[in-house]
């Protein structure tokens, strides 16, 4: 679903515009194959004899088809290059999307595990350490160590959640649509 939505990304719409431009160039170059026949005529006055003459000329370019072949070949190559560049960009974006999605799943799993399993246990250990400290069974260093551990787990939870949100934003940028549902 994410790969399908990625086609609406402005990065890929740019290739459609480029392809239309190259198609127009190809049609323009194809017109060079047909010889441009030029007819002209007129009246000319001869100064020496004071006579007038009717003048007509015909211009037919020779070998215009052969000369146009190189231009047509170049235009076709440029048009095909747009398709190749689009496909390369699509493969790279799909690979990046796959990688980002896997990282997002891992970050969400990490944040969920920290929030639901690790943090409650560390909080309980901190409360027990504080209770024991109040009763004189633990020293101040043991209380500070328990508080430090609790703060480290909270910091890891914040970092994992922040990472998940950043990855989600990047996926939404690539797909040009909001990410719905669980990763």
């Amino acid at each position: 679903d994410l790969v399908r939505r990625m086609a609406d990304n402005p990065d890929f719409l740019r290739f459609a515009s480029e392809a239309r431009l190259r198609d127009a160039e190809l049609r323009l170059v194809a017109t060079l194959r047909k010889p441009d026949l030029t007819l002209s005529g007129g009246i000319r006055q001869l100064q020496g004899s004071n006579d007038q003459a009717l003048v007509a000329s015909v211009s037919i370019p020779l070998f215009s088809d052969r000369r146009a072949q190189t231009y047509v070949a170049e235009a076709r190559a440029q048009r095909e290059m747009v398709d190749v560049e689009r496909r390369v960009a699509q493969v790279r974006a799909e690979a990046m999307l796959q990688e980002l999605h896997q990282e997002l799943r891992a970050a969400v799993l990490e944040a969920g595990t920290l929030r639901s399993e690790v943090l409650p246990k560390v909080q309980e250990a901190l409360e027990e350490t504080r209770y024991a400290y109040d009763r004189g069974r633990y020293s101040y260093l043991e209380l500070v160590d328990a508080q430090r551990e609790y703060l480290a787990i909270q910091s890891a939870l914040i970092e994992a959640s922040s990472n998940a949100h950043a990855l989600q934003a990047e996926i939404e940028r690539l797909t040009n649509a909001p990410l719905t549902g669980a990763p």
Side-chain angles (χ1 to χ4, degrees), residues 1-3 5-12 93-108 163-183:
D1 185 45
L2 294 176
V3 172
R5 289 192 293 171
M6 194 170 51
D8 295 334
N9 187 322
D11 293 341
F12 295 109
E94 286 175 8
M96 180 185 291
L97 183 63
Q98 179 70 20
E99 181 181 335
L100 289 171
H101 190 260
Q102 293 300 322
E103 288 179 19
L104 176 61
R105 290 178 69 181
V108 167
N163 189 24
H165 284 290
L167 291 167
Q168 180 178 350
E170 184 63 19
I171 289 173
E172 289 175 350
R173 184 197 68 80
L174 270 177
T175 59
N176 199 33
L179 192 61
T180 56

Side-chain angles (χ1 to χ4, degrees), residues 107 111 156-168:
L157 174 61
I158 291 170
E159 187 175 329
S161 298
S162 171
N163 189 24
H165 284 290
L167 291 167
Q168 180 178 350

